[in-house]
Amino acid sequence: MASRISELVLDCRDPELLARFWCEVLDFVVLDRDDDGSLEIGPREGFGGSQPTIILSPSAEPRKAKSRLHIDLNATDRDQDAELERLRELGARPADIGQTGEESWHVLADPEGNEFCLLRSRLEPL
């Protein structure tokens, strides 16, 4: 028996803002709200599926450096350029983490500056 990733936890200043962003990006919904202001977002089918959920946990502590863990995305219904445009319209912005410009992926940041990458290959929807 092996383990699998069931949740990713992201500390943030504004869980509601990031929930709106990431729900639009991933076609997720809010699955749970905790009394401490945390939100759990995930696939419309709910908990326990093949995709991990994301817990957005409120934190007043400022981010100090580049994230040591980031999310990689693949578009499922459009090419990379069209998905890049969609992500930017949702509020993603380019992020410079020292890339050369020759990469096949785009480095972006969410509305709170958390880096993520948009990869070139397209995946089939689940």
Side-chain angles (χ1 to χ4, degrees):
M1 188 69 160
S3 296
R4 72 176 180 87
I5 296 172
S6 57
E7 296 101 13
L8 300 171
V9 179
L10 181 60
D11 289 344
C12 56
R13 291 182 307 277
D14 188 344
E16 292 284 344
L17 172 70
L18 285 191
R20 285 191 301 275
F21 176 80
W22 285 107
C23 282
E24 283 293 324
V25 168
L26 300 169
D27 192 29
F28 277 12
V29 295
V30 174
L31 299 172
D32 194 22
R33 293 176 186 273
D34 209 348
D35 292 338
D36 70 355
S38 295
L39 296 172
E40 186 164 11
I41 63 172
R44 295 176 183 281
E45 301 78 44
F47 304 99
S50 61
Q51 297 184 73
T53 61
I54 299 174
I55 297 173
L56 302 164
S57 179
S59 174
E61 207 170 295
R63 207 178 107 184
K64 294 179 174 63
K66 174 177 136 339
S67 301
R68 294 190 70 178
L69 177 71
H70 68 268
I71 296 172
D72 283 348
L73 301 178
N74 289 85
T76 59
D77 62 352
R78 64 197 81 202
D79 67 20
Q80 185 187 42
D81 290 337
E83 183 64 356
L84 177 63
E85 182 177 329
R86 184 182 83 90
L87 294 173
R88 292 188 70 171
E89 288 172 0
L90 293 173
R93 59 190 185 282
D96 183 357
I97 58 166
Q99 58 269 42
T100 66
E102 299 299 317
E103 293 82 6
S104 62
W105 61 87
H106 295 276
V107 181
L108 302 165
D110 72 14
E112 286 201 7
N114 301 297
E115 297 93 0
F116 65 96
C117 294
L118 174 61
L119 306 180
R120 177 179 294 162
S121 58
R122 192 172 126 194
L123 299 177
E124 293 301 316
L126 292 175

